[in-house]
Amino acid sequence: MRRGRREGSAVKVLTPAAMAAVDRRAIETFGIPGMVLMENAARGLHDALTKRFPDARRVAILCGPGNNGGDGLALARLLAAAPDAPTPDAFLFVRARDGETPGPAP
């Protein structure tokens, strides 16, 4: 895990494998559905974006395969539904490599 700094507070940055392990534990140990994790991630990002960039009118959402693709789509839905939020008007989806299956954490 790496640590980043933003506005004087520590930010934990997990590797994809570490984040998948956290998701798996939340789902299997605590019984939190993957859809709830995805919605919570989208809501957290929505709140952070609108707080940090209150005057933004447009936002680009870039999504790769796997979990962040679902998080990005949920974020786009929340932004599109909020009258004062930036308009999500650009999407980029990266397909999985051959032999990989995109989807939620196992």
Side-chain angles (χ1 to χ4, degrees):
M1 175 174 33
R2 299 176 300 168
R3 285 197 178 262
R5 300 289 292 168
R6 183 119 178 112
E7 296 180 10
S9 62
V11 177
K12 294 180 182 180
V13 179
L14 300 178
T15 64
M19 191 67 241
V22 169
D23 283 349
R24 196 169 32 258
R25 182 168 187 230
I27 292 166
E28 294 173 2
T29 303
F30 300 107
I32 302 171
M35 187 67 70
V36 171
L37 296 176
M38 182 174 60
E39 284 295 316
N40 288 344
R43 285 184 204 284
L45 186 52
H46 173 275
D47 293 347
L49 280 171
T50 55
K51 181 179 179 182
R52 176 91 165 101
F53 304 103
D55 297 326
R57 297 290 48 153
R58 296 169 58 193
V59 64
I61 300 171
L62 309 176
C63 300
N67 291 356
N68 88 17
D71 296 348
L73 287 174
L75 172 62
R77 181 180 42 76
L78 291 172
L79 289 170
D84 295 332
T87 301
D89 61 5
F91 300 93
L92 172 66
F93 294 94
V94 180
R95 77 173 190 85
R97 292 184 209 130
D98 290 341
E100 289 183 345
T101 303

